[in-house]
Amino acid sequence: LKRRLREQGTSHSELLERTRMETAGHLLQNSKASMTQISELLGYANSSAFTRALAVATDKLRGLGEQVS
């Protein structure tokens, strides 16, 4: 599995984080769950870790948008 993921230019941790952020975006837009509840659902150690991961993902998306412009 590691070899195949590497051949595709990704890793297990990258796929996990991408899936977590997609799910977080859906939950933030379509549910009344709190940040704490979402962080627990997604397996983060605490809401601070989730908030940091969300900030990093948001910065990456902004950077991609600037590259496209």
Side-chain angles (χ1 to χ4, degrees):
L1 180 60
K2 284 183 181 181
R3 181 179 50 83
R4 288 187 180 174
L5 289 172
R6 190 172 46 248
E7 288 171 359
Q8 297 295 317
T10 192
S11 67
H12 176 265
S13 59
E14 288 174 359
L15 288 175
L16 176 61
E17 197 58 28
R18 187 178 315 140
T19 301
R20 281 176 159 176
M21 288 300 111
E22 288 173 2
T23 304
H26 175 76
L27 290 170
L28 289 167
Q29 291 180 351
N30 301 305
S31 78
K32 294 181 181 181
S34 68
M35 293 287 274
T36 300
Q37 290 170 321
I38 293 171
S39 68
E40 289 172 0
L41 284 170
L42 297 177
Y44 286 93
N46 54 53
S47 59
S48 295
F50 171 61
T51 302
R52 281 191 302 275
L54 192 58
V56 168
T58 302
D59 287 345
K60 285 181 182 178
L61 288 174
R62 283 190 189 124
L64 289 175
E66 291 171 3
Q67 290 176 2
V68 172
S69 298

